[in-house]
Amino acid sequence: MFNLCVAHAYNYSELTAMSLVVLVLTGIEALCKVDRRFAPFTDSLFSRASLSVTREQLTKEENEQLNTNISAFLRVLVNHFLLPAAFQVLEYCIRRYQVHVYSVSDLLLCALPYHSTPEFARLVALLQLKETSWEWLAPCQQTGAPPPRDLLVRRCVNDQAVIREVCKGAESLGAPGFVSKTFLSFYAVLLCEVFTAAPAITEDLLTVLLPYLVAGLKGTATKDYRAATLMVLTQLLSKAQLGREFLTAMVPEVIRSAPDLGGTTAIMLLTHMAASQPELKTLPVRSMQLLVEHCQTGQQLSDLEARGAPLTPV
C-alpha cells in the first residue's frame, strides 16, 4: 500500500507477514533512536504478537484500546513524518491495523503540517475519506497533487468541522508528553491566515474557537500551546470587533494565566484587547482586582509606562 508514499529499497507489494515484521521493527528501532517516546509502542503495537491481530475479531473494547494506542503513536510521529522510518511503520499500520480506514483523522492531523509535500498527497490517496470531515480532499486522490494552501485556508473559513479538527489537533498536540512545535506553529499560522481570508469573523466561528483559546491560556497548558494560543488571540483581536460575551469570557482567562504568561505579557494583551475592542473600552474593576491578585501589577505597569507602552485602557 504505502509504496505509493515512498520509493526506497523495500518492495512493499511482495512483503510476506514475517518480512513485514522485520520492516516495522527496523522502522520503530530507527524512530526510537531519534525520539525515545516511541519506545512503548514497540510492545503495544509493533511486537511479533501483533501479527495475529485481526480487527474484525476484536471486541469493541479491544478496538477502542487499539485506536487509543494508534492515536498516541501518530501524535508522537507528527514531528518525524517525513523520515523513511516513519513510512516503514505506517506501512505496517495500514496493512495490519487498517488505519487508512479507522484512523483517518489521526493520520491527517499527523501529516497536515506537511500538506504541500508529495508524501502528504500519496497518503491522502490511500485514505477512505467518505463521510469524514476530510471528504473535500477527494479531488486530490484523483490528481495525486497536494492541496494548495489557499484551498486549506478557504475550507477552514467555510467549514466549521475542518477548523474544529485543526483546533482539536492543536489541543492534543499541545498536551504534556505530546507537544509538537511543528503542528502548533502550523496551527497558529493557519488560523491567522483564516482570519485574514474570512469576509467576517462570525459568531459561529467564535463559538468554535472559544473553548480552544480558553484551554490554551489555562495554567495547565504547555508553554508551546500557550504561545500558539497567544498568537492566534492577538491576531483575532486585530482582525475583528468581538462581542462582549466573547470578551467577557476571555479577559478572566488571560488574567488567571498571568503567572504563567508573565505579568507584563498579560497586561499588554489586556491593553491590546481593550484598545482594539469597542465593547471593552476599559477593563472592569473586578478584572483589575484579579490581575493585582495574580501578579505584581504596580511594578510591571511602571516598567511598561517607562518604556512608553500604551496603557490608557488599564
Side-chain angles (χ1 to χ4, degrees):
M1 292 180 182
F2 224 66
N3 59 329
L4 292 170
C5 288
V6 63
H8 54 62
Y10 294 98
N11 184 349
Y12 288 138
S13 63
E14 298 177 1
L15 284 173
T16 64
M18 289 312 298
S19 59
L20 187 60
V21 169
V22 172
L23 176 70
V24 73
L25 292 180
T26 302
I28 195 66
E29 181 181 1
L31 290 175
C32 287
K33 288 179 180 178
V34 298
D35 192 331
R36 57 187 178 83
R37 293 179 298 165
F38 286 111
F41 302 108
T42 302
D43 293 326
S44 63
L45 290 175
F46 305 121
S47 67
R48 293 181 183 274
S50 64
L51 274 178
S52 63
V53 174
T54 304
R55 279 272 195 178
E56 292 75 12
Q57 295 178 358
L58 297 180
T59 65
K60 179 182 178 181
E61 291 74 18
E62 288 171 335
N63 263 308
E64 288 175 351
Q65 183 59 56
L66 177 58
N67 287 336
T68 297
N69 291 340
I70 290 169
S71 178
F73 167 73
L74 292 173
R75 288 160 69 188
V76 177
L77 190 65
V78 173
N79 292 342
H80 313 287
F81 176 75
L82 294 180
L83 293 179
F87 302 137
Q88 293 173 228
V89 178
L90 286 173
E91 172 71 19
Y92 187 85
C93 289
I94 289 170
R95 289 174 179 255
R96 186 79 267 147
Y97 299 126
Q98 301 175 60
V99 291
H100 61 303
V101 177
Y102 295 104
S103 301
V104 171
S105 287
D106 288 324
L107 270 174
L108 279 169
L109 290 173
C110 174
L112 204 56
Y114 312 94
H115 65 86
S116 62
T117 66
E119 288 81 2
F120 180 83
R122 292 166 184 162
L123 174 65
V124 169
L126 299 173
L127 303 179
Q128 291 195 14
L129 300 172
K130 191 173 182 180
E131 297 181 358
T132 73
S133 301
W134 306 98
E135 193 168 356
W136 57 277
L137 286 171
C140 298
Q141 295 180 313
Q142 304 301 318
T143 64
R149 178 74 172 201
D150 63 337
L151 175 62
L152 176 59
V153 172
R154 289 198 310 271
R155 196 70 197 189
C156 288
V157 170
N158 298 317
D159 190 339
Q160 291 181 33
V162 175
I163 198 167
R164 184 178 286 108
E165 288 277 4
V166 173
C167 291
K168 284 171 61 179
E171 184 177 31
S172 176
L173 290 160
F178 292 99
V179 172
S180 170
K181 292 184 179 180
T182 299
F183 191 92
L184 292 172
S185 297
F186 161 78
Y187 155 76
V189 173
L190 177 64
L191 261 64
C192 290
E193 292 176 0
V194 168
F195 299 153
T196 300
I201 305 298
T202 65
E203 288 297 324
D204 287 342
L205 176 58
L206 293 175
T207 299
V208 172
L209 294 176
L210 181 58
Y212 300 104
L213 294 176
V214 170
L217 291 174
K218 286 188 178 298
T220 54
T222 58
K223 179 180 178 180
D224 294 298
Y225 187 30
R226 192 179 302 119
T229 301
L230 285 173
M231 181 176 173
V232 170
L233 180 57
T234 301
Q235 185 72 359
L236 180 61
L237 292 168
S238 299
K239 290 294 182 182
Q241 293 185 1
L242 307 175
R244 175 167 291 276
E245 185 177 350
F246 184 90
L247 294 168
T248 301
M250 290 308 306
V251 168
E253 295 303 330
V254 172
I255 292 171
R256 290 189 187 99
S257 66
D260 301 293
L261 294 176
T264 299
T265 300
I267 291 169
M268 289 300 295
L269 181 56
L270 289 168
T271 302
H272 176 55
M273 190 179 293
S276 63
Q277 300 299 313
E279 289 288 339
L280 193 67
K281 296 291 185 182
T282 58
L283 297 178
V285 174
R286 178 53 185 158
S287 295
M288 289 304 300
Q289 290 172 340
L290 283 173
L291 189 59
V292 171
E293 291 173 11
H294 282 80
C295 55
Q296 297 175 337
T297 311
Q299 183 60 51
Q300 287 156 348
L301 285 172
S302 297
D303 292 343
L304 287 169
E305 187 176 20
R307 285 164 18 197
L311 299 175
T312 302
V314 179

